[in-house]
Amino acid sequence: MGLFHYQKAYPEDQNIKLNIISLADQLNGQFELASSQGWDWFESYLTYCNARLPHSLFLAYEATGEDRYLQVASKSMKFLIKTQIIKGLFVPIGNRGWYKKGSDRAIYDQQSVEAACTTEAAIAAFRNTNGRRLLKAAYEALKVLRRELARTNVVQSRKRSCCDGITPQGLNQKQSAEATLSYLQARLNFEELNQIE
């Protein structure tokens, strides 16, 4: 992802595209090794910041035009969205056990950074495929940072911060820089599309 942005800033550097191809090929190879029927993922588990993997392949496609990156990015993103949408709501993988292939997925503790990463990846997916369903997934992921769950709001507007996540007992009161910056970055990505409420 960093190379994609570096390439935009320094398009004359020809080594960047070669490095993007090398890293994207490694991700595609890992997907081929780990994925199976019903498990379209790069590893045998889902933890946090999961969407960064398909997101990086969407950016690799943008940088190179190589369709093989778009195919794996789309397939893995579809799997991730399907896994994290429960009854129409985006529910991030919880860190109390994560989600191992063949096991039940953990619901809590949900992390703000996962919602933010998924928002950004879904926007990149939409930008490259024009799939309206992906834009809806981006909106649902961003909403998790603003919605009420157990009578709590993850984003603390008055304090201009974002709580780390949601536990079975309610809101995790810790307001880390990671959570706040993740929310702001996701929101900025959404506002670039002029889709924010």
Side-chain angles (χ1 to χ4, degrees):
M1 291 172 62
L3 290 173
F4 171 82
H5 293 289
Y6 183 88
Q7 183 186 45
K8 287 178 83 173
Y10 301 98
E12 68 280 358
D13 189 340
Q14 298 301 306
N15 288 321
I16 300 305
K17 186 174 179 180
L18 295 174
N19 286 316
I20 290 172
I21 289 170
S22 174
L23 292 172
D25 283 346
Q26 288 178 48
L27 268 180
N28 269 15
Q30 186 58 40
F31 182 85
E32 291 302 318
L33 285 173
S35 64
S36 60
Q37 187 172 358
W39 187 266
D40 294 323
W41 199 245
F42 304 86
E43 302 166 303
S44 61
Y45 48 84
L46 293 166
T47 58
Y48 68 99
C49 293
N50 298 295
R52 291 297 188 216
L53 298 175
H55 188 181
S56 63
L57 287 176
F58 282 118
L59 296 183
Y61 169 72
E62 281 187 54
T64 66
E66 293 289 340
D67 193 54
R68 65 185 185 267
Y69 304 143
L70 182 62
Q71 289 176 14
V72 172
S74 297
K75 196 172 189 180
S76 59
M77 191 68 192
K78 181 179 177 183
F79 170 76
L80 185 61
I81 289 169
K82 181 181 171 189
T83 301
Q84 296 193 107
I85 299 283
I86 299 175
K87 295 181 181 176
L89 293 175
F90 178 78
V91 181
I93 302 296
N95 69 13
R96 291 190 181 190
W98 306 115
Y99 180 29
K100 296 178 181 81
K101 183 178 178 181
S103 301
D104 292 334
R105 56 157 289 176
I107 299 297
Y108 296 104
D109 291 355
Q110 298 174 15
Q111 299 181 10
S112 300
V113 67
E114 181 65 19
C117 291
T118 304
T119 299
E120 292 179 57
I123 289 170
F126 170 73
R127 193 172 58 239
N128 286 287
T129 66
N130 289 318
R132 300 299 296 181
R133 183 182 60 80
L134 294 163
L135 194 56
K136 184 178 184 322
Y139 180 72
E140 288 302 319
L142 184 62
K143 263 186 11 183
V144 89
L145 296 168
R146 297 185 297 158
R147 78 172 186 237
E148 291 191 5
L149 181 63
R151 295 188 179 95
T152 59
N153 284 321
V154 177
V155 175
Q156 304 290 304
S157 298
R158 284 191 213 169
K159 295 179 182 176
R160 295 187 174 123
S161 63
C162 182
C163 293
D164 278 7
I166 300 172
T167 71
Q169 293 75 37
L171 191 62
N172 176 340
Q173 293 297 326
K174 184 178 175 192
Q175 297 171 7
S176 69
E178 177 187 46
T180 301
L181 292 173
S182 295
Y183 168 70
L184 293 173
Q185 183 63 42
R187 187 175 172 101
L188 284 172
N189 271 255
F190 221 107
E191 286 181 352
E192 286 176 5
L193 293 174
N194 295 318
Q195 297 291 329
I196 200 76
E197 283 185 339

